[in-house]
Amino acid sequence: MADSANNNINVFWFLPTHGDGRYLGTTEGGRPVDLAYLQQVALAADNLGFYGVLIPTGKSCEDSWLVASALAPITKRLRYLVAVRPGLQPPTLAARMATTLDRLSDGRLLINVVTGGDPVENKGDGIFLNHSERYEVTKEFLDVYSRLMRGEKVDYEGQHIHVEGAEVLFPPVQENGPPLYFGGSSDAAIDVAAEQIDTYLTWGEPPEQVAEKLAVVRERAAARGRKLEYGIRLHVIVRETEQEAKAAAEKLIGHLDEDTIAQAQKIFARMDSAGQARMSALHKGSRDNLYIAPNLWAGVGLVRGGAGTALVGSPEQVAERIREYQALGVTNFILSGYPHLEEAHRVAELLLPLLPLANGQQQRARTINTGPFGETIGGDKRPTKQTSAS
């Protein structure tokens, strides 16, 4: 995998299988996330030119594999970034699931390796391992899984995983299996990424913190003779002006009270995820000073676990911030916004045209009716593009 600032980027969207709405931390403005709604979001992402969609995992979400299986047949180009859970799935079962979905989607599957950072949730899933033990399991899981994807018949006896004669009879469409994505900020996580992962993911920290983290990953990968790709997970609040974007950000958390924030922060504090600790440190559970870098807002993390920051600004400002991350070597941007259906269209309209998309040529080639032209004037003529008065 290339390990350099690429001229082109992949932009993903997000399927909100844990809930969606207009405001965070409240039922006000919430909406049902059923199959019909997920179909709308997936079809929008597919038609608007997003590279793929991330499907989250955990007890708060619908199962990512079943969701991807339901949506892949109705989309044409959209890739699905689906989670495998070492310790929750044996590697042989995960390999069979992955090869099946890769074939059924005609090679549109991507794999997100999730170790899990909430001890309480892990115990509910029957996983009673500490932080370091979970990464030992992850390493052993990937040792077996990756060999199966290469078509090997595997005998393996590790500290946690033992298989004899494991194999996958029906190969994946993608050579050596779907690419592996993975995020984690601890030393143990970075070691796993450096040795076994294709694309390392980080949550949306300020650029200087991302640069420091990626430098460590890059160095450890190089020591193993490997080069990785890099990705970042961010929310986006983009409007025609910076003032409108900042107002939308404030509106998003407009129904939050201090008790709701305190409840969420208490849950985050019990986690042993280094990445979650870094996210929480950005805002410290307070509404004060939520802009932690130019156009980078930490308000989402007041009540949402995992990715807790958003790029907030005009299209030109958000595009410039994305280019700053790109200069650090980030080529995969996993974006989202509330509500996810409307914001997919807004981001595609305002932001994507300003970005160097790797799949941009495909997007232009699919344009219908010679391009977007707005509503026909008087049922007789198409409006012409107006030039700026400035």
Side-chain angles (χ1 to χ4, degrees):
M1 293 291 179
D3 185 2
S4 62
N6 197 297
N7 290 329
N8 295 310
I9 63 175
N10 297 318
V11 178
F12 293 71
W13 197 240
F14 183 84
L15 289 178
T17 62
H18 52 26
D20 200 8
R22 295 190 176 276
Y23 308 102
L24 288 175
T26 176
T27 58
E28 186 74 23
R31 61 182 53 173
V33 179
D34 53 18
L35 178 60
Y37 183 66
L38 291 172
Q39 288 174 332
Q40 291 181 68
V41 177
L43 284 169
D46 194 29
N47 292 331
L48 293 169
F50 288 93
Y51 181 78
V53 284
L54 170 64
I55 309 178
T57 187
K59 75 175 185 180
S60 64
C61 311
E62 299 282 15
D63 181 78
S64 61
W65 287 88
L66 294 177
V67 170
S69 299
L71 298 178
I74 68 167
T75 53
K76 297 177 181 178
R77 302 165 185 84
L78 197 68
R79 296 161 181 83
Y80 292 88
L81 182 52
V82 181
V84 298
R85 298 291 302 269
L88 189 58
Q89 296 169 282
T92 310
L93 174 61
R96 286 201 295 268
M97 293 168 63
T99 55
T100 297
L101 188 51
D102 196 46
R103 289 193 305 277
L104 295 181
S105 66
D106 196 22
R108 291 186 287 132
L109 177 64
L110 308 170
I111 295 295
N112 186 24
V113 182
V114 177
T115 299
D118 184 350
V120 173
E121 181 175 332
N122 287 336
K123 289 175 183 178
D125 286 332
I127 301 173
F128 295 85
L129 302 173
N130 62 35
H131 183 274
S132 61
E133 290 170 334
R134 292 201 308 275
Y135 282 100
E136 291 171 0
V137 170
T138 299
K139 181 184 181 305
E140 293 183 8
F141 175 99
L142 291 173
D143 284 342
V144 175
Y145 173 91
S146 296
R147 290 176 61 187
L148 291 170
M149 284 296 183
R150 293 194 295 267
E152 299 180 25
K153 190 170 185 176
V154 181
D155 293 325
Y156 185 93
E157 185 169 1
Q159 184 176 350
H160 303 277
I161 293 176
H162 181 194
V163 298
E164 295 180 2
E167 61 181 327
V168 172
L169 295 181
F170 305 104
V173 171
Q174 300 177 79
E175 186 177 1
N176 297 326
L180 298 176
Y181 291 64
F182 172 87
S185 297
S186 67
D187 281 342
I190 291 173
D191 282 339
V192 168
E195 184 173 335
Q196 298 172 298
I197 297 299
D198 300 309
T199 298
Y200 176 80
L201 301 174
T202 180
W203 285 326
E205 299 175 2
E208 60 272 16
Q209 294 184 24
V210 171
E212 292 172 0
K213 185 190 295 186
L214 297 193
V216 174
V217 179
R218 192 173 285 115
E219 180 180 3
R220 295 195 193 178
R224 294 165 170 81
R226 303 187 71 239
K227 293 182 179 181
L228 310 184
E229 290 191 1
Y230 297 94
I232 193 167
R233 173 77 179 93
L234 288 157
H235 304 278
V236 176
I237 302 175
V238 61
R239 298 294 186 270
E240 293 185 18
T241 68
E242 181 180 16
Q243 292 74 19
E244 290 177 294
K246 286 187 172 181
E250 288 301 316
K251 187 176 181 180
L252 182 63
I253 59 172
H255 290 270
L256 279 183
D257 55 43
E258 296 306 313
D259 182 61
T260 302
I261 295 173
Q263 290 179 45
Q265 296 304 309
K266 184 177 180 180
I267 293 172
F268 303 153
R270 80 190 184 196
M271 299 180 182
D272 60 7
S273 163
Q276 183 61 62
R278 291 169 68 110
M279 279 281 103
S280 297
L282 295 176
H283 53 70
K284 302 180 178 62
S286 171
R287 294 175 183 267
D288 300 331
N289 303 316
L290 287 176
Y291 284 93
I292 55 176
N295 303 109
L296 186 63
W297 181 72
V300 179
L302 292 174
V303 291
R304 187 194 192 280
T309 55
L311 293 177
V312 178
S314 68
E316 294 77 15
Q317 289 173 319
V318 174
E320 179 61 27
R321 301 290 84 78
I322 286 177
R323 284 192 288 269
E324 290 174 356
Y325 287 116
Q326 184 186 5
L328 302 178
V330 177
T331 56
N332 295 276
F333 291 81
I334 303 174
L335 308 179
S336 59
Y338 297 91
H340 288 74
L341 178 59
E342 292 92 318
E343 290 302 302
H345 284 274
R346 195 190 304 269
V347 168
E349 176 190 347
L350 297 178
L351 180 60
L352 293 192
L354 303 182
L355 301 177
L357 301 183
N359 61 333
Q361 291 290 353
Q362 296 177 7
Q363 184 182 9
R364 286 192 293 273
R366 296 199 309 270
T367 301
I368 306 299
N369 293 334
T370 72
F373 54 82
E375 184 174 346
T376 303
I377 298 173
D380 184 62
K381 61 182 293 186
R382 295 179 180 180
T384 58
K385 186 175 181 62
Q386 297 181 8
T387 58
S388 173
S390 61

